[in-house]
Amino acid sequence: QVQLVESGGGLVQPGGSLRLSCATSGSIFSITYMGWYRQAPGMQRELVASITGGDITNYADSVKGRFTISRDNAKNTVYLQMNSLKPEDTAVYYCNIRATRNYWGQGTQVTVSS
């Protein structure tokens, strides 16, 4: 069974940058949607950024201008470049890929703190 493997999380100071990656353990065909979500303690999971098969991107208002989602179709990999990080960006970040079924990663912790 194909799994999503996230990497790139960690501890960073405010104003810093991180790049998250989400790779698949096997091939996924007919991908229509790739996205990043996050969940802070005591909060609901929320959409951070997404990209469709037609390369249409969507961002949460709170990250516009700071985060960039991109993908490598050949590698079935989606990235999230996060710049100008703020303490309120602290959360577990999850990768989501939609094809003939819905795939979720296990999550990677991002902590923004001085």
Side-chain angles (χ1 to χ4, degrees), residues 14-68:
S17 298
L18 286 174
R19 188 191 193 211
L20 304 184
S21 299
C22 174
T24 64
S25 62
S27 296
I28 299 177
F29 300 99
S30 303
I31 293 175
T32 59
Y33 173 100
M34 304 174 95
W36 286 95
Y37 291 73
R38 68 187 181 187
Q39 188 168 19
M43 304 293 286
Q44 290 189 333
R45 190 174 296 189
E46 63 175 358
L47 173 68
V48 176
S50 64
I51 183 167
T52 68
D55 284 337
I56 297 172
T57 57
N58 182 46
Y59 295 91
D61 288 342
S62 59
V63 307
K64 283 181 181 176
R66 300 188 297 121
F67 291 10
T68 303

Side-chain angles (χ1 to χ4, degrees), residues 67-86:
F67 291 10
T68 303
I69 189 170
S70 62
R71 64 182 190 180
D72 184 330
N73 291 331
K75 297 180 180 179
N76 274 356
T77 300
V78 60
Y79 305 95
L80 185 67
Q81 178 67 44
M82 305 186 294
N83 299 328
S84 302
L85 282 160
K86 303 175 181 180

